[in-house]
């Protein structure tokens, strides 16, 4: 489960990581009052679970309380990468001298955690990583040892960070451990003109398997969850909204994860993770397509099913039921293999719906879905 920025910064604050003063609201009038309490000027930040808020106009500096109210009215209700803004955080502005990037992330391949840090943080960190990989330090972290002061110093030196960031690195690791997180990220971690180190933004992803230990997030998550995720949960569908344009539906978490990787390798971005499970009915398949196609960012959908308990003819019936129910305007690429695959393909061929296209292989289906998304 991803946390909102204001939730992440609260965790940071709880663990002694310095953050600017800030308050959360859903009301433009309250935004005016918050700005007044913060000293007049305020940074108004949309609270959505997606990146690119600043470039989309979801992070703005308000010069005074009246401007804060006006800015709040402009940002509330915005659509940022398919996420509607319903909550704002107003933060005290700081005089930034330097911006850094620090994070800990689960390294599944290595069976451990990885510290990632750079002295070139900020909104362009992805471009830095892509074009100047030498500027980003990647240091393995032993799970048993954790991040001690000595390890934090090693990470800071490797990334070219100031020595005073080591304390934040230690505390950030404690956030990950105490909160059962898979990812903790600060971008940017800044040094102010006065020499203070502050976390200006934060991202935290919690391990859903540890929810029984992290009960405080249950009610809050239900309140703030993305509307499509809420709808999917109400229907019993395992769905996570992502930031891309190719909707993904598969059966089995491993197959869905592989499908996401293959689509990304074809130059497109997955719009979701959706696993219909091992024994999904035609109704579940129809519900899954309804959820994915309700995302305005989706330009094409890839259905990748290997029939086992879920027979491919049942999947085909579900696809056609969804088509009849919602009358989609976006193309569907379908790859069926395994149990009753021939019968499932025949069902789709017989219907010959103009928006449903079959491809025999996973790689070919991913390429076709990416092509359709780029030309939509």
């Amino acid at each position: 489960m991803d946390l909102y920025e204001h939730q992440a910064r609260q965790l940071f604050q709880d663990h002694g990581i310095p953050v600017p003063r800030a308050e959360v609201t859903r009301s433009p009038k309250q935004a005016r009052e918050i700005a007044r309490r913060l000293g007049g000027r305020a940074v108004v930040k949309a609270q959505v679970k997606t990146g690119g808020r600043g470039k989309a106009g979801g992070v703005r500096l308000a010069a005074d309380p009246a401007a804060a109210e006006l800015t709040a009215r402009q940002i509330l209700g915005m659509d940022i990468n398919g996420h509607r803004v319903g909550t704002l955080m107003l933060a005290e502005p700081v005089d930034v001298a330097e911006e850094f990037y620090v994070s800990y992330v689960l390294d599944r391949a290595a069976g451990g955690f990885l510290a990632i840090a750079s002295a070139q943080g900020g909104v362009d960190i992805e471009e830095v990583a892509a074009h100047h990989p030498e500027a980003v330090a990647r240091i393995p972290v032993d799970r048993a040892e954790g991040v001690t002061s000595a390890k934090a110093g090693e990470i800071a030196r490797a990334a070219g960070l100031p020595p005073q960031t080591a304390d934040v690195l230690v505390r950030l690791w404690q956030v990950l451990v105490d909160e059962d997180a898979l990812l903790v990220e600060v971008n940017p971690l800044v040094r102010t003109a006065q020499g203070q180190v502050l976390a200006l933004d934060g991202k935290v992803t919690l391990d859903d398997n540890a929810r029984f230990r992290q009960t405080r997030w249950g009610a809050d998550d239900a309140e703030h969850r993305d509307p499509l995720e809420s709808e999917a949960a109400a229907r019993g569908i395992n769905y996570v909204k992502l930031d891309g344009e190719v909707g993904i539906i598969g059966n089995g978490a491993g197959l869905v994860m592989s499908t996401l990787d293959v689509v990304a390798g074809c130059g497109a971005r997955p719009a979701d993770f959706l696993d219909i499970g091992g024994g999904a009915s035609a109704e579940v398949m129809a519900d899954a397509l309804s959820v994915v196609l309700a995302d305005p960012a989706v330009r094409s959908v890839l259905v990748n099913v290997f029939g086992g308990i879920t027979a491919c003819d049942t999947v085909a019936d579900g696809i056609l039921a969804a088509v009849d129910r919602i009358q989609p305007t976006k193309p569907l690429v379908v790859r069926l293999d395994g149990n009753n695959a021939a019968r499932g393909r025949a069902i789709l061929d017989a219907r010959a719906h103009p928006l449903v296209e079959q491809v025999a292989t996973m790689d070919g289906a991913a390429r076709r879905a990416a092509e359709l998304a780029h030309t939509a």
Side-chain angles (χ1 to χ4, degrees):
M1 179 181 74
D2 292 331
L3 299 186
Y4 288 95
E5 177 195 5
H6 69 271
Q7 296 171 325
R9 77 183 302 280
Q10 183 61 57
L11 290 184
F12 296 164
Q13 193 170 25
D14 291 346
H15 286 80
I17 298 173
V19 296
R21 290 190 301 151
E23 295 184 40
V24 176
T25 183
R26 298 182 180 181
S27 163
K29 289 185 178 180
Q30 287 182 357
R32 177 192 285 259
E33 295 305 314
I34 292 171
R36 183 174 290 113
R37 287 195 291 270
L38 294 175
R41 298 170 69 241
V43 181
V44 185
K45 308 180 78 173
Q47 297 298 285
V48 287
K49 296 180 180 181
T50 184
R53 293 176 302 166
K55 294 180 179 179
V59 178
R60 306 180 196 175
L61 177 64
D64 54 50
E69 179 177 350
L70 176 60
T71 302
R73 293 187 186 280
Q74 293 169 341
I75 295 179
L76 284 169
M78 281 180 61
D79 183 279
I80 300 178
N81 296 328
H83 296 252
R84 182 183 176 277
V85 181
T87 305
L88 301 173
M89 185 180 77
L90 279 76
E92 181 181 31
V94 299
D95 188 2
V96 175
E98 294 180 277
E99 294 185 334
F100 316 118
Y101 174 92
V102 295
S103 70
Y104 297 113
V105 62
L106 177 64
D107 185 349
R108 296 184 186 276
F113 284 89
L114 193 65
I116 304 175
S118 175
Q120 301 181 36
V123 296
D124 295 322
I125 185 61
E126 290 86 357
E127 294 182 17
V128 172
H131 300 294
H132 302 285
E134 72 283 355
V136 181
R138 294 172 172 83
I139 310 295
V141 177
D142 182 85
R143 290 177 295 174
E145 177 187 357
V147 178
T148 61
S149 295
K151 188 68 174 182
E154 176 191 344
I155 296 167
R157 287 190 297 274
L161 304 180
Q164 59 263 49
T165 61
D167 180 64
V168 171
L169 291 170
V170 172
R171 294 176 184 273
L172 193 65
W173 174 258
Q174 205 57 50
V175 173
L176 182 139
V177 173
D178 291 350
E179 305 299 333
D180 290 303
L182 302 176
L183 165 73
V184 290
E185 175 186 276
V186 181
N187 184 38
L189 178 71
V190 305
R191 182 163 60 181
T192 69
Q194 295 75 35
Q196 187 179 15
V197 174
L198 296 172
L200 252 59
D201 199 349
K203 181 177 181 181
V204 174
T205 300
L206 304 180
D207 186 351
D208 284 337
N209 294 316
R211 284 199 181 206
F212 69 97
R213 282 198 298 261
Q214 305 294 343
T215 55
R216 66 168 162 164
W217 298 115
D220 190 79
D221 180 45
E223 179 183 357
H224 294 288
R225 188 188 306 212
D226 179 90
L228 288 177
E229 292 183 354
S230 296
E231 179 183 350
R235 299 186 184 196
I237 296 172
N238 185 12
Y239 169 87
V240 179
K241 191 179 186 313
L242 303 175
D243 295 338
E245 61 279 346
V246 177
I248 306 292
I249 298 174
N251 63 322
L255 180 61
V256 178
M257 291 297 293
S258 297
T259 306
L260 265 63
D261 290 342
V262 174
V263 167
C266 293
R269 298 178 304 158
D272 64 82
F273 171 104
L274 195 154
D275 175 14
I276 62 173
S281 64
E283 182 180 359
V284 169
M285 187 68 224
D287 285 344
L289 270 172
S290 297
V291 169
V292 171
L293 289 169
D295 182 352
V298 168
R299 298 178 182 175
S300 68
V301 178
L302 171 56
V303 180
N304 185 21
V305 169
F306 187 86
I309 299 173
T310 304
C312 291
D313 55 340
T314 299
V315 172
D317 287 336
I319 292 171
L320 295 180
V323 167
D324 291 338
R325 180 198 301 177
I326 63 180
Q327 300 182 354
T329 59
K330 301 165 185 177
L332 278 65
V333 178
V334 181
R335 179 254 184 174
L336 300 177
D337 199 1
N339 182 18
N340 284 352
R343 187 181 302 173
R345 296 186 197 115
I347 290 172
L348 295 180
D349 284 340
R351 179 64 179 272
H353 192 283
L355 289 178
V356 179
E357 178 178 338
Q358 296 193 71
V359 179
T361 67
M362 178 171 165
D363 288 347
R367 282 194 298 272
R368 183 56 179 155
E371 291 171 0
L372 291 169
H374 290 152
T375 57

